Amino acid sequence: MTATANKAARADLKRKFALNNCHEIIDNPDRDNIKLFVKKVKSTVPIADLFFFLIKLLREKKELCERFIIFCHSIKLCSDVFSAFKMEKCHNIDMYHSKTNEAVKENIRKDMQDANGKIRVLIATSAAGMGVNFQAVNNVIHFSPPKDMDSFVQQLGRAGRDGSQTAMALLLFNSRHCRNLDDDMKKYISNEDSCRRQVLLSAYNCNPSPDRVKHLCCDLCAGTCSCEEKNCKDYEHPCIYNEFQETSDDDSDPESESDTDYFE
């Protein structure tokens, strides 16, 4: 039994355990109360600019800010994002990864299990993706895609666990983040015209509900929504339409980040 396993992972499990002609029971992993967003940005845009909307929100609301988790693909990137927030004199933030001191981890977990805890933005690696029960998280941001779809589904599932229909999951990435991805993640981040939920669920041979509301599904579906409901445009992510100032015109993929930096 496993919580999340795409087609390739299931095939690998069957091969390793010699499960020939076995019976599979597969549940749809769709979290239909989480709206999906994807935005590709230039690698030359400073981190503080990418997250300025959240920095501003923290400054204004402080401990009353909505709770966010920002997932990063490596400890190095996690530290870079944390440092960028600290340089902007942000409070109510913390960092969680496999090298974090165990006592600090425990304090973070306790705070995040309290809906009114002091931590309003947690910057983390996959170490915070499973085996935790964080409260009042309705916003998950991936700053770089995980290497596989299973990790992505598990991590975005930190949002909306209270059933809130306003939960949002944003994948924010640049060209330097796109190495070592499995085929399902490559398909997801390159998609520009099909329903994002449909593409995500295709990795599990599943389909979204045919009755889903377009403006609550994903950013691409929202663009074709014609429901004319008053709140149709109320579920836009504050980061999506930002215009960013680049530090240079070079968006090449230099070997500045080794493969050992990529993973947890």
Side-chain angles (χ1 to χ4, degrees):
M1 180 179 292
T2 181
T4 313
N6 62 16
K7 290 177 286 188
R10 295 199 303 272
D12 188 48
L13 286 170
K14 287 188 286 185
R15 179 183 60 80
K16 288 181 177 178
F17 290 102
L19 299 174
N20 299 320
N21 301 316
C22 65
H23 180 64
E24 293 183 58
I25 300 175
I26 304 170
D27 194 16
N28 192 327
D30 188 19
R31 295 289 303 279
D32 59 6
N33 66 321
I34 302 176
K35 185 173 179 178
L36 305 174
F37 301 83
V38 177
K39 185 176 179 67
K40 184 177 181 181
V41 296
K42 292 283 189 179
S43 61
T44 49
V45 178
I47 292 174
D49 289 359
L50 291 175
F51 291 102
F52 180 73
F53 77 96
L54 186 48
I55 290 170
K56 182 180 179 183
L57 198 61
L58 273 170
R59 286 172 175 169
E60 292 175 351
K61 295 191 174 182
K62 299 181 174 61
E63 68 277 2
L64 298 179
C65 177
E66 295 177 57
R67 182 168 267 171
F68 286 75
I69 299 179
I70 301 174
F71 281 107
C72 302
H73 67 217
S74 70
I75 294 174
K76 179 182 182 301
L77 185 58
C78 185
S79 299
D80 289 345
V81 174
F82 182 77
S83 296
F85 275 78
K86 280 296 187 183
M87 289 291 288
E88 295 295 326
K89 304 187 185 308
C90 290
H91 303 287
N92 304 101
I93 68 171
D94 218 320
M95 177 170 55
Y96 190 110
H97 53 68
S98 63
K99 302 300 182 183
T100 303
N101 179 277
E102 285 301 322
V104 175
K105 282 184 181 179
E106 181 60 25
N107 288 335
I108 292 173
R109 286 193 292 263
K110 286 181 179 179
D111 187 276
M112 293 292 290
Q113 287 167 3
D114 178 0
N116 298 313
K118 292 182 179 179
I119 300 172
R120 307 318 296 173
V121 176
L122 181 65
I123 302 157
T125 63
S126 58
M130 292 186 66
V132 293
N133 184 25
F134 295 155
Q135 299 294 313
V137 177
N138 285 322
N139 295 276
V140 166
I141 299 174
H142 281 88
F143 183 42
S144 64
K147 67 183 181 69
D148 58 69
M149 184 60 77
D150 289 349
S151 298
F152 183 60
V153 171
Q154 289 164 0
Q155 291 167 16
L156 72 84
R158 297 303 98 196
R161 296 174 74 86
D162 62 354
S164 171
Q165 187 57 73
T166 59
M168 297 183 181
L170 167 66
L171 172 53
L172 189 66
F173 72 101
N174 62 51
S175 60
R176 297 182 185 179
H177 296 153
C178 298
R179 292 174 289 182
N180 304 316
L181 305 181
D182 73 2
D183 290 341
D184 290 326
M185 278 309 308
K186 289 177 182 177
K187 182 179 178 182
Y188 185 78
I189 66 173
S190 63
N191 170 52
E192 296 181 350
D193 48 26
S194 300
C195 169
R196 300 200 191 280
R197 195 175 302 276
Q198 180 71 62
V199 173
L200 184 154
L201 293 176
S202 68
Y204 302 92
N205 286 335
C206 296
N207 292 295
S209 168
D211 301 323
R212 65 190 184 282
V213 179
K214 281 191 171 184
H215 64 258
L216 297 177
C217 180
C218 72
D219 53 344
L220 295 178
C221 287
T224 63
C225 185
S226 56
C227 70
E228 298 184 356
E229 291 185 12
K230 290 183 179 179
N231 65 344
C232 182
K233 303 301 181 183
D234 290 351
Y235 300 98
E236 302 294 349
H237 200 285
C239 180
I240 286 293
Y241 300 109
N242 282 0
E243 295 296 331
F244 304 114
Q245 182 66 43
E246 301 168 36
T247 55
S248 76
D249 294 327
D250 181 17
D251 193 38
S252 59
D253 191 13
E255 298 298 324
S256 59
E257 297 178 34
S258 68
D259 288 342
T260 56
D261 287 334
Y262 196 90
F263 300 113
E264 168 71 1

